[in-house]
Amino acid sequence: MGLLSLGTPLAWADSIPYHDHVRQHGITQFLNIWDRLKNREGDELLWGDEIEYMVVQFDDEHHVARLSLRQSEILAKLEHVVDELENEKEPDAPPIPTFHPEYGRFMLESTPGRPYTGQLKELLTVEANMRYRRKIARRHLNPNEIPLTVTSFPRLGTPGQFTEPYFEPRSEASQSLFLPHEITNPHARFPTLTANIRRRRGHKVIINLPIFEDTHTPKPFIDPTIPWDRDWFPGDNEAKNGAALPDHIYMDAMGFGMGCCCLQITFQACNVAEARTVYDALVPVGPIMLALSAASPAYRGYLADVDCRWNVIRDAVDDRTEEERGLKPLKHNKYRIPKSRYDSVDSYLSMDYNNRPEYNDNPLPIDEGVYKRLRDHGLDDLLSKHIAHLFIRDPLVIFSEMIDQDDSTSTDHFENLQSTNWQTLRFKPPPANSPIGWRVEFRSMEVQVTDFENAAFSIFIVLLSRAILSFGLNFYMPISKVDANMKTAQARDAARQEKFYFRKFVYPQDRAFEIRRALESCPVSANGSKAGSHVHTPVSPVSPKVNGNGFDHMHAERSRPHSAEQSRCPSPGEPELGPVEEEYELMTMDEIINGKGDYFPGLLGVVRAYLDTLDVDFSTKRNLWMYLDVVKRRANGSLMTCAQWMRRFIRTHPDYKFDSVISEQINYDLMKAFDEIERGVRREPDLLPADYRSAQALNGHLKPHTVVAEKPATPCP
């Protein structure tokens, strides 16, 4: 959660006259950043994580677990504690973490006190840092409150009391049948955001998840807990008028989506080209990590037939009108918009030769005026379309005090739209007046129960990003296949049961065999010569040029084709490319992570190869593989995903009636189990490695490790 602005938010109707003003000045602010920093080089490899917690209050006498709505009080206390710790910190002590508000008043977010560097030795401190943050938070909660890293609270929005204290489910902003106003962060931004999404859309948001049909689940399932006849707000009749689908779990408010927790990783790149390369390469990885980290199979007191949160949040913030969704002809709106503001990435960004036009195969509505302005300013086609696509949206929250800004020093209007396009990855320009560089935020993963698991996924993504740049890896495939994978990733037990599209050949040399075809099959040019007749055929793969951080700039220097025809024909020194459809295939999760045959090394295979290129001692590498082994085993099925484990826990609970209902007792025992697993006092060898040790021993690490520093990285040239 970024910095929250102070001021008076405009009501939706009052904000409409200022929408174009925000867009126009937002682009001016972006162009000012671009002009100042487009040639910025040499930023250090830095990265950081964001972990979100739910504060759960336990009533052990009555066996009830509820969400504590004390966020403001807790954060005020933590701010004071952090200041004290900072003042008392020894010079060589680890950095003091920071804590931030989130949408739900029952949520906290934590980040490291400072970014991690690219040194491998720092990867081995990630879990201890996460553990430190959790300990600080836990120590300053009430005795019966615990910060749990749970993606979705199973009984959020059920009849009766699910928060402490209790509030009646009445909210003018959301008009929800299930959630009270008091569940939302009281900062003016959040209720305004909630209300304006509903007002812009023209009715309440609609979320329908398929019910998990168990032995005694009614068929058809018509939810008896929906207050069908409530008549407090205009939107109360929407459920009975068709919004609530049979055989589905119905939800109707932003809080159901933005009340979910996640794990996010942000990388700083050496320069803007490198950031765009990392962004593109991680786009196909997003759905894979969503499935691998699946941790949310339960909503509003029921078991769902999905394992992930993504579509819940997608629909919870979908502000598109019926015209924009294609349900009515365009009359009052400009664009037919295929996706919600919260969805998968819509286009690739890199100018690398590997990025063929065929990969951006989804419709991409853009603001033509914004696009022309960016192009006239000298920006390339891909980045111009990316920004122009973000700016087809309306600003959702405008503060009256911030309408007029100094565009040379502020980026608030740009961030107004940039930060409310929530995609699986976010390309992040440097903030104004800041030493921070060009960044990429990886956003698809669900938060895990233990700090060990969250560290494992973080370490894996960081090492994969390093391997991508070091080896010039090519993960490109059509965006439409990435979208198909996003749908597949949310299916029940997708990590073990489903197949995903992924590129077959990822190393640059894997295309070398195509070079010889360049002279034979390229179209004849106007002067009668073959367009590829000047290509020089290398006899061996070109060694990548690696900078001090292990980054490869070889591929960023090549220009990309501008049409499908050009992409099949070689540029100087490049082979002709075959049909896109031959570049990818369906693979199991095990194959994508651990490798397939002798042609696809797997994502862990390229990480292993990257580690083998570094001057790192055996002990450090061994300890890194303790974390990476979790990724390996989740992929091959020898360890369950959190969602799989939760579903089994619920279905084998003595109180479960095989009717898809999650009772108070089941929910209480599940939350208790999460706490016990996280503290290491409950062994679950199907979820965690058998040698996982108590979180209170060794700061949560599996075993003691001795870090021997590898050769220090040098800055980018």
Side-chain angles (χ1 to χ4, degrees), residues 394-414:
D394 285 334
L396 290 172
V397 180
I398 299 176
F399 290 95
S400 60
E401 296 85 350
M402 301 182 68
I403 292 174
D404 295 316
Q405 301 176 13
D406 182 349
D407 292 338
S408 65
T409 60
S410 175
T411 59
D412 284 337
H413 283 324
F414 173 73

Side-chain angles (χ1 to χ4, degrees), residues 59 117 120 168 178 209 235 331 349 416 468 495 553 593 615 654 709:
D59 180 347
T117 69
L120 290 186
E168 186 178 42
F178 313 108
L209 291 184
K331 182 178 179 181
L349 292 183
N416 192 319
I468 287 165
H553 294 282
I593 298 296
D615 183 13

Side-chain angles (χ1 to χ4, degrees), residues 259-442:
C260 291
C261 294
C262 66
L263 167 67
Q264 297 176 354
I265 310 295
T266 300
F267 310 93
Q268 177 175 274
C270 263
N271 52 42
V272 63
E274 188 170 88
R276 293 168 72 171
T277 296
V278 173
Y279 179 96
D280 280 13
L282 290 179
V283 166
V285 179
I288 305 306
M289 296 309 297
L290 176 62
L292 209 57
S293 64
S296 49
Y299 297 88
R300 218 171 55 71
Y302 295 108
L303 261 181
D305 204 30
V306 299
D307 277 1
C308 299
R309 79 197 188 285
W310 194 265
N311 283 358
V312 177
I313 316 180
R314 177 198 69 184
D315 295 341
V317 297
D318 189 359
D319 70 334
R320 293 174 300 162
T321 67
E322 290 183 325
E323 292 181 15
E324 290 168 336
R325 283 177 279 150
L327 302 178
K328 292 182 178 179
L330 286 176
K331 182 178 179 181
H332 304 290
N333 300 114
K334 294 181 180 179
Y335 310 102
R336 184 72 46 79
I337 306 177
K339 296 180 182 179
S340 167
R341 299 176 86 113
Y342 200 115
D343 218 314
S344 53
V345 165
D346 290 308
S347 64
Y348 293 111
L349 292 183
S350 176
M351 292 295 290
D352 188 273
Y353 178 84
N354 288 322
N355 185 10
R356 302 171 62 176
E358 296 96 317
Y359 298 140
N360 284 325
D361 64 336
N362 275 353
L364 189 73
I366 62 172
D367 185 313
E368 294 290 350
V370 168
Y371 175 77
K372 183 179 187 303
R373 186 178 172 193
L374 294 170
R375 293 291 279 152
D376 289 347
H377 199 83
L379 272 73
D380 60 86
D381 173 70
L382 288 179
L383 186 55
S384 297
K385 283 182 176 175
H386 171 76
I387 300 296
H389 177 62
L390 299 183
F391 272 60
I392 65 172
R393 312 284 183 172
D394 285 334
L396 290 172
V397 180
I398 299 176
F399 290 95
S400 60
E401 296 85 350
M402 301 182 68
I403 292 174
D404 295 316
Q405 301 176 13
D406 182 349
D407 292 338
S408 65
T409 60
S410 175
T411 59
D412 284 337
H413 283 324
F414 173 73
E415 288 297 335
N416 192 319
L417 288 160
Q418 156 92 344
S419 66
T420 54
N421 277 268
W422 300 278
Q423 298 181 335
T424 43
L425 280 98
R426 181 176 285 152
F427 175 73
K428 304 178 75 169
N433 305 311
S434 168
I436 297 173
W438 297 92
R439 295 151 297 150
V440 175
E441 186 178 54
F442 188 76

